[in-house]
Amino acid sequence: MIVVNVKENESIEKALKRFKKKFDRTGAIRELRARQYFEKPSIKRRTEVIKAAYKQRMQTEEMG
């Protein structure tokens, strides 16, 4: 369970922003979307490899 203590003189908007940030870090939404349909393990690995290659390419373009 995510707990966000609202500090004194802190706006609700700022506290809500901190909550959203913590919630995003847990990855709950990402997991829910992934569980909506079954994905074969071979397809999962393939997409991970494609994403890793894309990230690698972006990093090399950024450096070079």
Side-chain angles (χ1 to χ4, degrees):
M1 188 164 100
I2 301 172
V3 177
V4 176
N5 295 323
V6 180
K7 299 172 185 168
E8 201 166 319
N9 297 329
E10 182 183 27
S11 67
I12 298 297
E13 287 81 21
K14 197 164 188 177
L16 186 61
K17 189 174 182 179
R18 285 191 312 157
F19 171 78
K20 286 180 179 179
K21 197 175 215 179
K22 280 186 178 183
F23 185 73
D24 285 343
R25 285 185 186 154
T26 62
I29 296 294
R30 220 176 313 122
E31 187 177 339
L32 273 175
R33 288 188 182 140
R35 287 180 179 227
Q36 281 183 348
Y37 58 92
F38 179 75
E39 191 175 32
K40 288 171 39 177
S42 60
I43 304 289
K44 232 182 243 186
R45 276 193 304 272
R46 188 182 314 151
T47 54
E48 283 179 14
V49 166
I50 291 169
K51 284 181 185 179
Y54 176 78
K55 283 183 180 180
Q56 187 74 32
R57 195 171 357 153
M58 294 310 260
Q59 274 187 336
T60 55
E61 284 179 9
E62 193 175 278
M63 294 177 119

